[in-house]
Amino acid sequence: MKSPKNSVKHLGLCFVVSLLVSLLFFSCKKEALPAQTQLHLGTVCTINLFESGTTDLYSQMFQRLRAIEHVFSVNLAHSALSQVNQAAGIAPVTVPQEVIYVLQEALRIAQRTGGAFDPTIGPLVDLWDIGGDNSQVPSQEAIKKAAALVDWRLVELDVEACTVFLPKEGMALDLGGIAKGFAADQLVLIAQEAGVQRALFDLGGNIYAFGSKEDGTPWRVGVKDPQNPEEAPALAVSVKNSSVVTSGMYERFFELDGIRYHHILNPATGFPVWNEVQSVTIVSQNSMLADALSTSVFILGQKKGLQLLEAEDAEGVVISAENMVYPSSGMTNQLTVVSPLYQLAE
């Protein structure tokens, strides 16, 4: 039998060992990194992984954004999309599977909207160059010529061979109205696989609120005031595991002779859309769908646009030129009008 003196020594030794193990554990435990920001997809991309924010996980996500940019950017001559455009009227081009996936959805939305959303809008986008170094109001003749090359129905997609062909020389795909949504969905997949509990992804205004806040309540995402985009938000929406995507005439534009020419072009007219809509915000668990619908609803206008949302099982809100707020049927409980400048339509 051990003496009390030996027992005390034994207990003291156990305490010291336990203390050393505890100190070693806490010294090895790494604190989560704060939100990280990089430039990708032609915009500022911010990722906040909160308690899951490790160097490796942030790196993996930004590498995925970089890879997507190198496939979908029409500003990179070597991208898959640029190669398709360069081969217009010449030959089909083999593309990565993800191009087929995104283009199939873009063509589906084009059909659903009667061409209001058109992934072959490239010639008109290049002509106007809104947000670029050579923004201009083109001549009517130039617009007519470019518009003749815009027709989603002409795109030849071979799913099995993974090829895309634009049959007319000068045709050009531009997936800027859907690719950021695809990118946001890809980040969500990475987060799910890594066991992330909550995160916020902001890809140049394309927001994905993953999970919920730490206390389990929904995220509250502000919607910019289209008349004062740098000031307090006009609206706020409460969401969990959802993307919030806004399209507005304040995003990219130039002014000439007192007229603002914004970047959302109507394929039917070749001009920026003027239809009494200031901005459109879409809420959906599918960010790629939300991205495409935000442009589509803006072009279609308030009445037809909200009908489209009902058909696509998505939610959204339109701010009209009269400062009225028109929500879809399922948005009422998620929506708060923040600015006194705007009024909820009855």
Side-chain angles (χ1 to χ4, degrees):
M1 182 174 179
K2 294 180 180 179
S3 68
K5 185 176 181 180
N6 289 335
S7 296
V8 170
K9 287 182 179 180
H10 178 72
L11 289 172
L13 179 61
C14 288
F15 175 77
V16 171
V17 171
S18 176
L19 179 61
L20 289 173
V21 170
S22 298
L23 289 172
L24 180 64
F25 173 78
F26 284 110
S27 65
C28 292
K29 188 177 180 182
K30 296 180 180 178
E31 291 187 5
L33 295 176
Q36 305 289 300
T37 298
Q38 293 185 14
L39 289 173
H40 295 289
L41 305 169
T43 191
V44 177
C45 299
T46 299
I47 300 174
N48 194 340
L49 299 175
F50 298 96
E51 62 273 1
S52 301
T54 65
T55 299
D56 289 344
L57 193 50
Y58 276 120
S59 177
Q60 183 182 355
M61 289 185 172
F62 282 119
Q63 284 177 7
R64 184 68 183 111
L65 291 181
R66 190 178 302 112
I68 291 172
E69 182 174 17
H70 281 267
V71 170
F72 289 96
S73 175
V74 293
N75 296 318
L76 299 175
H78 63 273
S79 74
L81 218 60
S82 290
Q83 291 175 31
V84 171
N85 293 343
Q86 291 160 15
I90 301 173
V93 174
T94 302
V95 297
Q97 179 62 44
E98 58 193 3
V99 173
I100 300 294
Y101 173 71
V102 174
L103 192 50
Q104 280 182 308
E105 178 67 358
L107 293 173
R108 186 188 73 81
I109 297 296
Q111 182 179 31
R112 172 76 82 170
T113 61
F117 181 88
D118 195 321
T120 67
I121 194 75
L124 284 170
V125 172
D126 292 341
L127 182 64
W128 283 86
D129 195 34
I130 297 174
D133 296 329
N134 301 298
S135 299
Q136 63 168 334
V137 178
S139 67
Q140 191 65 50
E141 181 181 353
I143 290 175
K144 183 178 180 180
K145 184 178 178 180
L149 297 170
V150 178
D151 190 343
W152 64 272
R153 295 166 297 183
L154 299 179
V155 178
E156 297 180 18
L157 200 62
D158 190 326
V159 177
E160 292 185 3
C162 262
T163 62
V164 181
F165 181 49
L166 303 177
K168 286 186 178 181
E169 183 181 356
M171 287 186 73
L173 293 171
D174 188 320
L175 298 178
I178 194 171
K180 281 199 299 183
F182 169 73
D185 288 334
Q186 291 296 296
L187 296 184
V188 170
L189 288 177
I190 295 173
Q192 291 172 335
E193 291 172 358
V196 174
Q197 297 300 306
R198 61 191 183 108
L200 288 174
F201 306 116
D202 182 351
L203 308 185
N206 185 320
I207 309 294
Y208 203 108
F210 179 74
S212 60
K213 293 167 67 175
E214 192 172 14
D215 60 2
T217 58
W219 301 102
R220 189 173 166 88
V221 179
V223 176
K224 285 187 176 183
D225 182 338
Q227 297 182 41
N228 306 286
E230 304 304 321
E231 304 298 328
L235 316 171
V237 293
S238 299
V239 294
K240 290 182 179 181
N241 288 315
S242 292
S243 183
V244 181
V245 182
T246 298
S247 289
M249 60 175 59
Y250 58 86
E251 294 175 307
R252 295 198 309 276
F253 63 90
F254 71 94
E255 293 185 356
L256 183 66
D257 298 330
I259 300 175
R260 175 178 292 191
Y261 297 90
H262 61 82
H263 75 292
I264 304 175
L265 304 176
N266 187 339
T269 66
F271 276 83
V273 179
W274 287 299
N275 62 356
E276 302 302 312
V277 171
Q278 291 193 72
S279 76
V280 170
T281 298
I282 307 296
V283 176
S284 172
Q285 290 187 342
N286 184 329
S287 190
M288 182 169 66
L289 176 64
D291 203 1
L293 289 180
S294 68
T295 302
S296 302
V297 173
F298 194 102
I299 295 173
L300 290 173
Q302 177 252 318
K303 186 175 181 179
K304 289 183 178 180
L306 293 180
Q307 289 174 351
L308 173 65
L309 294 186
E310 298 291 344
E312 287 292 324
D313 195 26
E315 303 299 339
V317 57
V318 175
I319 298 181
S320 74
E322 292 80 22
N323 295 343
M324 298 298 294
V325 177
Y326 295 91
S328 61
S329 59
M331 274 290 286
T332 306
N333 294 332
Q334 297 176 259
L335 179 67
T336 303
V337 179
V338 177
S339 170
L341 184 63
Y342 301 96
Q343 182 179 349
L344 188 64
E346 297 181 357

